[in-house]
Amino acid sequence: MSHRLAWLLVQAALAVLLVVQPAQAALEFSAGGTDLITFVTATASSFNAPSALTYMFWYYKVGTANLTNDIGAISKGSNLPFYHASGAAPNGVAMGVSAVWECRVSTGNQIANEAWTHIAFVWNNVTWAVYVNGVAATLAGTCTSNFASNANDMTLEDNNAVITQWAAFKVWEATLSSAEIASEMQVIRPQRTADLSHWHPFDDGLRALDYSGRGNNPSTVTGTAQRNGPPASWGGE
């Protein structure tokens, strides 16, 4: 075998490694509302009245029934960075502060049943933007209010009788551009490391550790199971 052919084979193998769906890179939250990841307040400070914030994840709802109430929440006290909304927009995307304000994607069924959906939220100290599968969504409600600062722990959880899966949870204390959102959606490993405060690839068993370098590991991971990941590559070094 020539050196050139050997080099080409190595490059082809590396290309395959970068595009294959990552195995066992998601956490599943079973029905019933008892499965959750908890971050103590010191490891969730990015969500306390941020001047700039971007957070994203892949999300999968198991089953085909539309919702009858809200599920799949990220919550920090009354702050609700994400919930999978029901009501007039079943299977919709929403966030806000409980009983104070809500910002939501204005059209329903944004989250497909039995399929991975990528969701990103961006705050620029003036207004929120929400991206669903890399596309900026049309929003309704109050989308110019910020999260309150509080000392509550933050949980990532399934809070209803439905099974959900989560993957590639990333948080930056910065306002990412639409191009950066599109790029980050394609990979598990963050492309932008500046201002990164959380990176949880969920490929480390049931530990859900933070690999951002900030040490924002969860205090508890309860009742989850590991599953195959979303249609994203691992990403380059």
Side-chain angles (χ1 to χ4, degrees), residues 41 44-50 53 55 73-83 94-102 128 145-157 159:
T41 184
S45 60
S46 298
F47 291 83
N48 276 344
L53 183 67
Y55 55 102
I74 302 173
S75 60
K76 188 179 187 296
S78 60
N79 294 340
L80 301 173
F82 166 64
Y83 52 96
M95 46 86 70
V97 174
S98 179
V100 179
W101 61 269
E102 177 188 71
W128 288 97
S145 293
N146 199 357
F147 293 133
S149 182
N150 63 51
N152 296 96
D153 295 345
M154 184 172 76
T155 59
L156 188 157
E157 62 184 321
N159 59 7

Side-chain angles (χ1 to χ4, degrees), residues 148-224:
S149 182
N150 63 51
N152 296 96
D153 295 345
M154 184 172 76
T155 59
L156 188 157
E157 62 184 321
D158 164 28
N159 59 7
N160 196 268
V162 69
I163 299 171
T164 60
Q165 296 174 6
W166 301 65
F169 181 54
K170 310 177 195 176
V171 182
W172 293 263
E173 293 172 344
T175 302
L176 269 64
S177 68
S178 57
E180 288 176 306
I181 298 293
S183 175
E184 293 289 347
M185 182 184 80
Q186 302 298 325
V187 292
I188 303 299
R189 183 185 181 91
Q191 302 302 287
R192 172 177 173 147
T193 57
D195 310 301
L196 186 68
S197 66
H198 283 263
W199 172 38
H200 304 268
F202 298 151
D203 67 341
D204 53 4
L206 303 181
R207 296 182 295 169
L209 296 179
D210 170 36
Y211 295 91
S212 71
R214 295 275 290 270
N216 288 325
N217 297 312
S219 58
T220 57
V221 180
T222 305
T224 57

Side-chain angles (χ1 to χ4, degrees), residues 1-207:
M1 181 185 296
S2 70
H3 292 299
R4 177 171 176 76
L5 179 57
W7 181 86
L8 289 173
L9 289 173
V10 169
Q11 296 305 306
L14 289 173
V16 169
L17 287 175
L18 287 176
V19 300
V20 295
Q21 176 174 315
Q24 299 291 294
L27 288 183
E28 181 174 277
F29 293 72
S30 299
T34 58
D35 293 358
L36 54 86
I37 300 173
T38 302
F39 298 92
V40 298
T41 184
T43 61
S45 60
S46 298
F47 291 83
N48 276 344
S51 59
L53 183 67
T54 300
Y55 55 102
M56 63 177 64
F57 47 89
W58 283 93
Y59 184 80
Y60 188 106
K61 184 171 86 69
V62 178
T64 59
N66 281 342
L67 305 180
T68 57
N69 49 6
D70 298 341
I71 67 164
I74 302 173
S75 60
K76 188 179 187 296
S78 60
N79 294 340
L80 301 173
F82 166 64
Y83 52 96
H84 181 167
S86 61
N91 298 348
V93 177
M95 46 86 70
V97 174
S98 179
V100 179
W101 61 269
E102 177 188 71
C103 179
R104 63 187 180 278
V105 174
S106 63
T107 55
N109 299 300
Q110 290 293 323
I111 298 173
N113 294 318
E114 296 285 334
W116 283 103
T117 302
H118 189 267
I119 307 168
F121 299 85
V122 181
W123 171 248
N124 65 3
N125 210 30
V126 176
T127 189
W128 288 97
V130 180
Y131 295 79
V132 179
N133 291 328
V135 178
T138 301
L139 303 179
T142 301
C143 299
T144 55
S145 293
N146 199 357
F147 293 133
S149 182
N150 63 51
N152 296 96
D153 295 345
M154 184 172 76
T155 59
L156 188 157
E157 62 184 321
D158 164 28
N159 59 7
N160 196 268
V162 69
I163 299 171
T164 60
Q165 296 174 6
W166 301 65
F169 181 54
K170 310 177 195 176
V171 182
W172 293 263
E173 293 172 344
T175 302
L176 269 64
S177 68
S178 57
E180 288 176 306
I181 298 293
S183 175
E184 293 289 347
M185 182 184 80
Q186 302 298 325
V187 292
I188 303 299
R189 183 185 181 91
Q191 302 302 287
R192 172 177 173 147
T193 57
D195 310 301
L196 186 68
S197 66
H198 283 263
W199 172 38
H200 304 268
F202 298 151
D203 67 341
D204 53 4
L206 303 181
R207 296 182 295 169

